[in-house]
Amino acid sequence: QQTHGEELRKAVQESETGSVVVDFEVLPDDLPRRTLRRHLCQAVAMVISGIGVLYSIISCFAVDAGNEFLVAEAEARQRRLP
């Protein structure tokens, strides 16, 4: 809590050595956590599904993806831009 933090800061400032001895208690934590296995599975699923959707859209509209960088480089050379 903030009051405890203020007390600790005050004790450190008033200490001759700049250090104090404190006691603290770790309280139980009941928040649900995701396991590493579940986290990895969800991350892989998001990547695969996102890429699958992206490639489906690209193929549906017959977009020539990737050439925009080559075209931009050629245009920059033609205009003598770095």
Side-chain angles (χ1 to χ4, degrees):
Q1 293 181 4
Q2 187 156 352
T3 57
H4 296 305
E6 293 295 327
E7 291 174 20
L8 181 59
R9 183 170 50 175
K10 185 177 178 182
V12 170
Q13 289 172 344
E14 293 175 354
S15 171
E16 292 178 8
T17 61
S19 63
V20 294
V21 176
V22 296
D23 291 322
F24 66 93
E25 178 184 355
V26 177
L27 300 175
D29 181 12
D30 296 329
L31 291 175
R33 303 281 188 241
R34 288 190 299 174
T35 63
L36 177 60
R37 179 178 167 188
R38 183 175 179 154
H39 183 74
L40 289 174
C41 287
Q42 288 176 338
V44 168
M46 290 297 289
V47 168
I48 291 172
S49 66
I51 290 172
V53 170
L54 178 64
Y55 281 119
S56 298
I57 292 170
I58 288 173
S59 65
C60 178
F61 291 104
V63 174
D64 191 14
N67 285 338
E68 62 272 11
F69 297 107
L70 298 174
V71 172
E73 184 179 357
E75 187 67 26
R77 266 196 232 120
Q78 185 179 18
R79 295 182 184 194
R80 295 185 181 139
L81 296 173

